[in-house]
Amino acid sequence: MKLSISVVIPTYNRVDTLVNCIEGIRRQARFPDEIVIVVRNSDHATLHYLSSLDLNVLKVALVERGGMIAALNAGILNSTGAIVALTDDDTVPHPDWLLNMERHYIKRPDVGGVGGRDIVHHGGKPVPPQKRQVGMIRPYGRIIGNHHIGMGDVREVDILKGANMSFRREAIRGLTFDEKLKGTGAQIHNELEFSQAVKKKGWKLLYDPNVLVDHFPAVRFDEDQRHSFNETAFFNAAHNETYAMLKHMRFMNRIMFLIWVVAVGSKSSPGVVQGMRMLPSQKGMALKKVALAFKGRWGGWKTWKGSLE
Protein backbone atom coordinates (compact mmCIF):
# COMPACT_ATOMS: atom_id res chain seq x y z
CA MET A 1 0.00 0.00 0.00
CA LYS A 2 1.24 3.48 -0.85
CA LEU A 3 -0.24 6.87 -0.03
CA SER A 4 0.39 10.00 -2.07
CA ILE A 5 2.47 12.58 -0.19
CA SER A 6 2.70 16.33 -0.67
CA VAL A 7 5.55 18.21 1.01
CA VAL A 8 4.68 21.83 1.82
CA ILE A 9 7.46 24.34 2.56
CA PRO A 10 6.60 27.98 3.36
CA THR A 11 9.56 30.29 2.66
CA TYR A 12 10.43 33.96 2.65
CA ASN A 13 13.69 35.57 1.58
CA ARG A 14 15.90 32.68 2.72
CA VAL A 15 17.19 31.19 -0.51
CA ASP A 16 20.41 29.89 1.08
CA THR A 17 18.55 27.70 3.55
CA LEU A 18 15.84 26.72 1.07
CA VAL A 19 18.51 25.29 -1.26
CA ASN A 20 19.62 22.88 1.46
CA CYS A 21 16.04 21.99 2.37
CA ILE A 22 15.16 21.07 -1.21
CA GLU A 23 18.35 19.03 -1.52
CA GLY A 24 17.17 17.09 1.51
CA ILE A 25 13.86 16.46 -0.22
CA ARG A 26 15.66 15.31 -3.38
CA ARG A 27 17.50 12.64 -1.36
CA GLN A 28 14.34 11.05 0.04
CA ALA A 29 14.23 7.24 -0.12
CA ARG A 30 10.48 7.63 -0.51
CA PHE A 31 10.27 10.53 -2.98
CA PRO A 32 7.26 12.85 -2.56
CA ASP A 33 4.52 12.92 -5.16
CA GLU A 34 4.41 16.69 -4.94
CA ILE A 35 6.49 19.54 -3.48
CA VAL A 36 4.60 22.77 -2.82
CA ILE A 37 6.74 25.83 -2.09
CA VAL A 38 4.74 28.75 -0.71
CA VAL A 39 6.30 32.09 -1.62
CA ARG A 40 5.29 35.69 -1.11
CA ASN A 41 4.70 37.34 -4.48
CA SER A 42 7.19 40.09 -3.59
CA ASP A 43 10.02 37.62 -2.86
CA HIS A 44 11.73 37.89 -6.26
CA ALA A 45 14.99 36.21 -5.18
CA THR A 46 13.18 33.02 -4.14
CA LEU A 47 10.96 33.02 -7.22
CA HIS A 48 14.03 33.38 -9.45
CA TYR A 49 15.72 30.42 -7.72
CA LEU A 50 12.63 28.22 -7.99
CA SER A 51 12.31 28.99 -11.71
CA SER A 52 15.78 27.49 -12.24
CA LEU A 53 14.91 24.13 -10.64
CA ASP A 54 14.38 21.02 -12.73
CA LEU A 55 11.78 19.23 -10.59
CA ASN A 56 8.68 17.94 -12.30
CA VAL A 57 6.86 17.51 -8.98
CA LEU A 58 7.46 21.13 -7.95
CA LYS A 59 4.51 23.48 -7.53
CA VAL A 60 4.78 27.14 -6.47
CA ALA A 61 1.93 28.71 -4.48
CA LEU A 62 1.93 32.52 -4.23
CA VAL A 63 0.64 34.53 -1.26
CA GLU A 64 0.22 38.27 -0.90
CA ARG A 65 0.06 38.50 2.89
CA GLY A 66 2.93 37.77 5.22
CA GLY A 67 2.79 35.32 8.11
CA MET A 68 3.08 31.59 8.57
CA ILE A 69 -0.67 31.02 8.81
CA ALA A 70 -1.49 32.43 5.38
CA ALA A 71 1.41 30.43 3.91
CA LEU A 72 0.38 27.14 5.55
CA ASN A 73 -3.22 27.53 4.49
CA ALA A 74 -2.18 28.31 0.90
CA GLY A 75 0.18 25.34 0.86
CA ILE A 76 -2.45 22.89 2.05
CA LEU A 77 -5.06 24.34 -0.32
CA ASN A 78 -2.70 23.94 -3.29
CA SER A 79 -1.59 20.41 -2.37
CA THR A 80 -3.27 17.18 -3.44
CA GLY A 81 -1.57 14.37 -1.49
CA ALA A 82 -3.39 12.02 0.88
CA ILE A 83 -0.65 13.00 3.36
CA VAL A 84 0.52 16.61 3.76
CA ALA A 85 4.03 16.86 5.24
CA LEU A 86 4.96 20.32 6.55
CA THR A 87 8.45 21.58 7.27
CA ASP A 88 10.36 24.87 7.43
CA ASP A 89 12.79 26.26 4.89
CA ASP A 90 15.63 26.13 7.44
CA THR A 91 15.44 22.35 7.88
CA VAL A 92 17.11 19.48 6.02
CA PRO A 93 15.02 16.29 6.15
CA HIS A 94 16.86 12.99 6.64
CA PRO A 95 16.67 10.56 3.68
CA ASP A 96 14.17 8.30 5.48
CA TRP A 97 11.97 11.19 6.71
CA LEU A 98 8.96 10.46 4.50
CA LEU A 99 9.50 6.69 4.56
CA ASN A 100 9.32 6.56 8.36
CA MET A 101 6.40 8.98 8.41
CA GLU A 102 4.31 7.13 5.82
CA ARG A 103 4.42 3.75 7.56
CA HIS A 104 2.44 5.08 10.52
CA TYR A 105 -0.40 6.23 8.29
CA ILE A 106 -0.46 2.88 6.49
CA LYS A 107 -0.34 0.84 9.68
CA ARG A 108 -2.85 2.86 11.70
CA PRO A 109 -5.94 4.31 10.01
CA ASP A 110 -6.84 6.16 13.23
CA VAL A 111 -3.71 8.33 12.98
CA GLY A 112 -4.44 11.83 11.73
CA GLY A 113 -1.02 13.38 12.28
CA VAL A 114 2.62 12.31 12.57
CA GLY A 115 5.57 14.40 13.68
CA GLY A 116 9.14 13.82 14.72
CA ARG A 117 12.32 15.28 16.08
CA ASP A 118 13.84 18.41 14.59
CA ILE A 119 17.51 18.19 15.52
CA VAL A 120 18.35 21.79 16.37
CA HIS A 121 21.92 22.88 15.56
CA HIS A 122 23.60 25.64 17.59
CA GLY A 123 27.11 26.78 16.73
CA GLY A 124 27.54 23.85 14.36
CA LYS A 125 26.62 21.28 17.02
CA PRO A 126 23.36 19.31 17.27
CA VAL A 127 21.43 19.40 20.53
CA PRO A 128 21.30 15.74 21.73
CA PRO A 129 18.05 13.90 22.60
CA GLN A 130 17.36 13.95 26.34
CA LYS A 131 13.62 14.01 27.12
CA ARG A 132 10.94 11.32 27.06
CA GLN A 133 8.05 13.71 27.73
CA VAL A 134 7.20 15.34 24.42
CA GLY A 135 4.24 17.27 23.00
CA MET A 136 2.02 17.04 26.08
CA ILE A 137 -0.66 19.31 27.56
CA ARG A 138 -1.38 18.90 31.26
CA PRO A 139 -5.07 18.98 32.33
CA TYR A 140 -4.52 22.48 33.79
CA GLY A 141 -2.87 23.73 30.58
CA ARG A 142 0.87 23.50 31.05
CA ILE A 143 2.47 22.75 27.68
CA ILE A 144 5.49 20.43 27.38
CA GLY A 145 7.22 20.74 24.00
CA ASN A 146 10.65 19.07 23.78
CA HIS A 147 10.07 17.91 20.18
CA HIS A 148 13.67 18.78 19.29
CA ILE A 149 15.13 16.67 22.10
CA GLY A 150 12.65 13.77 22.19
CA MET A 151 13.85 10.22 22.72
CA GLY A 152 12.30 6.80 23.26
CA ASP A 153 9.52 4.94 21.46
CA VAL A 154 6.72 6.15 19.24
CA ARG A 155 3.98 7.64 21.38
CA GLU A 156 0.69 9.53 21.17
CA VAL A 157 0.99 13.27 21.81
CA ASP A 158 -1.20 16.35 22.08
CA ILE A 159 0.89 18.69 19.91
CA LEU A 160 3.12 18.40 16.86
CA LYS A 161 5.81 20.94 15.97
CA GLY A 162 5.66 23.04 12.82
CA ALA A 163 9.21 22.30 11.66
CA ASN A 164 8.40 18.59 11.34
CA MET A 165 4.75 17.60 11.21
CA SER A 166 2.33 15.96 8.82
CA PHE A 167 -1.39 15.30 8.58
CA ARG A 168 -3.73 12.91 6.84
CA ARG A 169 -5.83 14.83 4.31
CA GLU A 170 -9.01 13.26 5.64
CA ALA A 171 -8.17 14.42 9.18
CA ILE A 172 -7.71 18.09 8.24
CA ARG A 173 -10.59 18.33 5.78
CA GLY A 174 -12.54 21.45 6.68
CA LEU A 175 -9.78 22.80 8.95
CA THR A 176 -7.52 25.80 8.41
CA PHE A 177 -4.82 27.39 10.53
CA ASP A 178 -6.63 29.97 12.65
CA GLU A 179 -6.19 33.55 11.42
CA LYS A 180 -7.22 34.95 14.81
CA LEU A 181 -3.70 34.16 16.06
CA LYS A 182 -1.52 37.25 16.27
CA GLY A 183 1.87 37.94 14.67
CA THR A 184 3.27 38.97 11.33
CA GLY A 185 5.74 36.15 10.71
CA ALA A 186 6.18 33.02 12.82
CA GLN A 187 2.76 33.43 14.52
CA ILE A 188 3.79 31.25 17.43
CA HIS A 189 1.49 28.47 18.67
CA ASN A 190 -0.23 28.02 15.30
CA GLU A 191 0.62 24.29 15.47
CA LEU A 192 -0.78 24.10 19.02
CA GLU A 193 -4.18 25.28 17.83
CA PHE A 194 -4.15 23.14 14.68
CA SER A 195 -3.04 19.98 16.49
CA GLN A 196 -5.82 20.39 19.02
CA ALA A 197 -8.36 20.91 16.24
CA VAL A 198 -7.31 17.61 14.65
CA LYS A 199 -7.51 15.77 17.98
CA LYS A 200 -10.93 17.27 18.64
CA LYS A 201 -12.18 15.48 15.53
CA GLY A 202 -11.15 12.16 17.12
CA TRP A 203 -7.83 11.54 15.33
CA LYS A 204 -4.60 10.39 17.01
CA LEU A 205 -1.33 12.32 16.80
CA LEU A 206 1.96 10.41 16.91
CA TYR A 207 5.50 11.52 17.72
CA ASP A 208 8.27 9.32 16.30
CA PRO A 209 11.86 10.34 17.20
CA ASN A 210 13.01 8.55 14.02
CA VAL A 211 11.06 10.91 11.76
CA LEU A 212 13.98 13.32 11.51
CA VAL A 213 14.94 16.68 10.11
CA ASP A 214 18.02 18.73 10.89
CA HIS A 215 17.00 22.23 11.95
CA PHE A 216 19.30 25.23 11.47
CA PRO A 217 17.27 28.13 12.96
CA ALA A 218 17.53 31.03 10.52
CA VAL A 219 16.85 34.75 10.86
CA ARG A 220 13.19 35.70 11.15
CA PHE A 221 11.77 38.78 9.47
CA ASP A 222 9.27 39.77 12.14
CA GLU A 223 9.08 40.86 15.77
CA ASP A 224 9.81 37.35 17.10
CA GLN A 225 13.60 36.95 17.02
CA ARG A 226 13.70 33.70 19.01
CA HIS A 227 16.11 34.40 21.87
CA SER A 228 15.88 38.20 22.16
CA PHE A 229 13.12 39.95 24.10
CA ASN A 230 10.50 41.88 22.15
CA GLU A 231 7.35 43.26 23.78
CA THR A 232 5.09 42.60 20.80
CA ALA A 233 6.33 39.04 20.37
CA PHE A 234 5.95 38.39 24.11
CA PHE A 235 2.37 39.69 24.06
CA ASN A 236 1.53 37.68 20.95
CA ALA A 237 2.82 34.43 22.48
CA ALA A 238 0.66 34.84 25.60
CA HIS A 239 -2.34 35.84 23.51
CA ASN A 240 -2.04 32.94 21.07
CA GLU A 241 -1.44 30.29 23.70
CA THR A 242 -4.41 31.49 25.77
CA TYR A 243 -6.76 31.70 22.80
CA ALA A 244 -5.76 28.29 21.45
CA MET A 245 -6.12 26.59 24.83
CA LEU A 246 -9.48 28.15 25.69
CA LYS A 247 -10.82 27.33 22.22
CA HIS A 248 -10.29 23.59 22.61
CA MET A 249 -10.53 22.96 26.37
CA ARG A 250 -13.51 21.61 28.26
CA PHE A 251 -15.23 23.81 30.83
CA MET A 252 -13.46 22.55 33.99
CA ASN A 253 -10.07 22.50 32.26
CA ARG A 254 -10.59 26.13 31.23
CA ILE A 255 -11.14 27.10 34.87
CA MET A 256 -7.98 25.23 35.96
CA PHE A 257 -6.05 26.82 33.11
CA LEU A 258 -7.10 30.37 34.00
CA ILE A 259 -6.19 29.85 37.67
CA TRP A 260 -2.82 28.37 36.69
CA VAL A 261 -1.80 31.11 34.24
CA VAL A 262 -2.54 33.83 36.81
CA ALA A 263 -1.10 32.08 39.88
CA VAL A 264 1.89 30.28 38.32
CA GLY A 265 2.29 30.55 34.55
CA SER A 266 5.28 29.45 32.53
CA LYS A 267 8.75 30.89 31.96
CA SER A 268 7.65 32.17 28.56
CA SER A 269 4.40 33.70 29.92
CA PRO A 270 4.90 34.10 33.69
CA GLY A 271 2.20 34.40 36.32
CA VAL A 272 2.74 35.51 39.92
CA VAL A 273 4.89 32.56 41.10
CA GLN A 274 7.09 32.46 38.00
CA GLY A 275 7.48 36.24 38.22
CA MET A 276 8.71 35.98 41.82
CA ARG A 277 11.22 33.30 40.78
CA MET A 278 12.53 35.55 38.01
CA LEU A 279 12.67 38.69 40.17
CA PRO A 280 16.10 38.18 41.83
CA SER A 281 17.91 37.70 38.50
CA GLN A 282 15.82 39.87 36.15
CA LYS A 283 14.53 42.55 38.55
CA GLY A 284 12.40 45.10 36.69
CA MET A 285 12.32 42.98 33.55
CA ALA A 286 10.56 40.22 35.49
CA LEU A 287 7.75 42.60 36.45
CA LYS A 288 7.51 43.82 32.88
CA LYS A 289 7.19 40.25 31.59
CA VAL A 290 4.46 39.41 34.10
CA ALA A 291 2.52 42.54 33.12
CA LEU A 292 2.87 41.75 29.40
CA ALA A 293 1.87 38.12 29.97
CA PHE A 294 -1.27 39.19 31.82
CA LYS A 295 -2.07 41.67 29.05
CA GLY A 296 -1.59 38.96 26.43
CA ARG A 297 -3.66 36.46 28.42
CA TRP A 298 -6.48 38.99 28.71
CA GLY A 299 -6.26 39.63 24.97
CA GLY A 300 -6.45 35.90 24.29
CA TRP A 301 -9.51 35.62 26.53
CA LYS A 302 -11.24 38.44 24.65
CA THR A 303 -10.40 36.88 21.27
CA TRP A 304 -11.83 33.55 22.42
CA LYS A 305 -14.99 35.15 23.81
CA GLY A 306 -15.41 37.13 20.61
CA SER A 307 -15.13 33.95 18.55
CA LEU A 308 -18.16 32.52 20.36
CA GLU A 309 -20.46 35.38 19.36
Side-chain angles (χ1 to χ4, degrees):
M1 182 179 179
K2 185 178 180 181
L3 299 171
S4 58
I5 300 178
S6 297
V7 173
V8 173
I9 309 169
T11 187
Y12 177 65
N13 202 25
R14 300 201 296 206
V15 174
D16 290 346
T17 61
L18 180 61
V19 169
N20 296 328
C21 182
I22 290 179
E23 282 306 306
I25 302 296
R26 284 182 186 270
R27 293 193 295 267
Q28 290 300 296
R30 195 290 188 207
F31 200 73
D33 300 274
E34 182 178 63
I35 304 170
V36 182
I37 311 295
V38 187
V39 191
R40 217 175 297 181
N41 57 5
S42 60
D43 186 358
H44 302 297
T46 302
L47 289 170
H48 176 72
Y49 162 66
L50 293 175
S51 68
S52 70
L53 290 179
D54 181 22
L55 265 174
N56 59 5
V57 297
L58 180 67
K59 181 187 292 186
V60 177
L62 295 177
V63 288
E64 293 184 5
R65 291 187 295 121
M68 184 62 78
I69 288 172
L72 289 169
N73 285 335
I76 292 171
L77 181 64
N78 284 276
S79 65
T80 60
I83 306 302
V84 183
L86 304 164
T87 191
D88 293 343
D89 61 2
D90 56 359
T91 70
V92 180
H94 285 209
D96 56 1
W97 178 55
L98 294 178
L99 189 67
N100 289 338
M101 181 190 295
E102 183 184 37
R103 63 187 176 90
H104 294 298
Y105 290 108
I106 294 172
K107 185 178 179 180
R108 290 188 54 177
D110 62 335
V111 168
V114 176
R117 184 173 164 230
D118 61 310
I119 306 171
V120 176
H121 292 250
H122 290 305
K125 295 182 179 180
V127 178
Q130 50 195 282
K131 297 290 185 180
R132 294 187 179 274
Q133 290 188 331
V134 174
M136 299 172 63
I137 301 176
R138 298 299 191 196
Y140 56 88
R142 181 189 168 206
I143 298 169
I144 300 172
N146 295 335
H147 296 81
H148 67 300
I149 51 176
M151 59 188 296
D153 299 328
V154 179
R155 80 295 304 259
E156 289 187 24
V157 294
D158 298 313
I159 322 162
L160 300 178
K161 185 175 179 179
N164 185 7
M165 64 183 181
S166 66
F167 297 97
R168 193 187 297 271
R169 172 83 53 187
E170 185 182 350
I172 63 174
R173 200 177 306 281
L175 298 179
T176 57
F177 283 82
D178 197 325
E179 295 190 355
K180 292 184 177 65
L181 297 173
K182 293 188 179 296
T184 59
Q187 295 176 293
I188 190 169
H189 295 309
N190 64 76
E191 63 264 76
L192 165 66
E193 193 285 321
F194 199 76
S195 294
Q196 288 298 284
V198 174
K199 285 200 69 175
K200 206 170 191 178
K201 291 177 70 176
W203 295 92
K204 306 293 185 184
L205 303 179
L206 296 184
Y207 175 82
D208 182 351
N210 292 314
V211 174
L212 291 165
V213 301
D214 285 302
H215 194 179
F216 304 89
V219 174
R220 287 175 172 171
F221 298 95
D222 67 344
E223 62 278 350
D224 187 355
Q225 292 301 308
R226 301 185 195 275
H227 303 297
S228 61
F229 176 75
N230 177 280
E231 290 189 17
T232 302
F234 203 87
F235 170 89
N236 289 345
H239 170 280
N240 292 353
E241 180 185 279
T242 304
Y243 167 65
M245 295 297 287
L246 291 174
K247 180 180 178 181
H248 296 292
M249 279 180 151
R250 295 178 179 177
F251 177 74
M252 286 305 299
N253 297 101
R254 286 193 191 111
I255 293 175
M256 289 191 290
F257 174 69
L258 292 171
I259 293 171
W260 177 73
V261 297
V262 172
V264 182
S266 61
K267 290 181 180 178
S268 58
S269 294
V272 174
V273 173
Q274 288 287 359
M276 291 176 64
R277 288 174 179 170
M278 294 159 59
L279 196 58
S281 60
Q282 299 190 30
K283 299 180 173 59
M285 180 59 75
L287 300 177
K288 187 174 188 177
K289 287 181 177 179
V290 171
L292 276 172
F294 283 171
K295 186 178 178 181
R297 299 289 192 191
W298 176 240
W301 163 271
K302 290 193 294 184
T303 299
W304 170 67
K305 289 294 287 184
S307 71
L308 301 178
E309 297 173 356

